[in-house]
Amino acid sequence: TSLEGVVWIIDPIDGTMNFSRGLSLSAISVALLKDGIPYIGVCYNPYLDEMLKDKKNMGAYLNNKQIKVSDKNLNEGLLLIGSSPYSKELHKKSIELLYKYSTIATDFRRVGAAVLDLCNIACGRAELYIELKLQPWDYSYYSNKLKNAKYSYNEEELRPYFELNNVIDGVFGLATKLY
């Protein structure tokens, strides 16, 4: 699929399994890309009545209040993890990374909806999110926010999974410091 010109990316239900099981952990996200560059993004969590909006060069907002990522170290923060359930190889690696980083973080969560995990990172509610394979509909809304976030990471073991582009660098490294 070409991302040239104007392209809309819509995920009507991120967290489909959660939704189908009656778990209140899903959201709707819409992004507008111009020549592959995220321009506008909107994400709505109907269960919490939270609307996140991001426009290129304009900042990100939650219910019209500007948001920022956390500046806490991971050892005083929260780890969010995806488990790559559709790939046995990545699922195993995810569990290994969960063990490694959960021994550093105060605690961890597995939500089951990448959009909500990224929302929580963007709002400063958690310090690190690890998901080894994301699809464009998972992260397109957050691209501007993540590209502009301050982050650092030193984890060479994660680099092979940065397969999409530098947006994913931000997804993995939103903790200001790991230790």
Side-chain angles (χ1 to χ4, degrees):
T1 302
S2 172
L3 295 181
E4 293 178 16
V6 175
V7 176
W8 288 96
I9 296 181
I10 301 169
D11 190 347
I13 304 176
D14 185 53
T16 310
M17 181 63 73
N18 291 342
F19 181 80
S20 71
R21 300 293 300 263
L23 295 171
S24 301
L25 296 167
S26 56
I28 303 154
S29 64
V30 178
L32 173 67
L33 283 66
K34 292 184 177 178
D35 295 320
I37 307 294
Y39 185 70
I40 297 172
V42 178
C43 177
Y44 182 62
N45 179 340
Y47 305 104
L48 298 178
D49 194 27
E50 291 185 339
M51 178 79 71
L52 278 90
K53 297 182 275 189
D54 188 10
K55 185 174 180 184
K56 187 175 183 179
N57 302 322
M58 301 292 285
Y61 295 83
L62 171 64
N63 294 341
N64 298 316
K65 292 184 181 181
Q66 193 157 23
I67 58 175
K68 67 183 186 96
V69 297
S70 172
D71 60 1
K72 289 182 179 181
N73 294 340
L74 185 57
N75 65 356
E76 56 187 359
L78 189 61
L79 164 67
L80 303 177
I81 185 103
S83 63
S84 301
Y86 305 109
S87 165
K88 287 184 180 187
E89 177 186 332
L90 293 180
H91 181 74
K92 181 178 182 201
K93 182 66 177 173
S94 296
I95 300 305
E96 291 167 2
L97 291 169
L98 168 61
Y99 178 75
K100 177 178 180 176
Y101 290 102
S102 67
T103 61
I104 299 166
T106 303
D107 206 348
F108 70 91
R109 301 286 180 273
R110 163 83 172 96
V111 173
V115 166
L116 292 179
D117 285 328
L118 291 166
C119 264
N120 287 321
I121 289 291
C123 289
R125 296 172 179 157
E127 284 58 48
L128 182 63
Y129 173 51
I130 298 174
E131 174 64 77
L132 299 182
K133 185 168 179 75
L134 289 173
Q135 301 298 329
W137 52 85
D138 291 324
Y139 67 82
S140 56
Y141 156 69
Y142 299 94
S143 296
N144 288 324
K145 181 67 183 163
L146 296 175
K147 283 183 179 180
N148 295 323
K150 291 183 178 180
Y151 63 88
S152 64
Y153 63 90
N154 304 330
E155 302 302 313
E156 289 297 321
E157 70 181 315
L158 297 178
R159 284 193 183 274
Y161 301 98
F162 297 157
E163 61 186 85
L164 296 171
N165 57 33
N166 65 348
V167 171
I168 301 305
D169 287 353
V171 173
F172 285 104
L174 280 169
T176 303
K177 298 173 191 164
L178 289 177
Y179 308 97

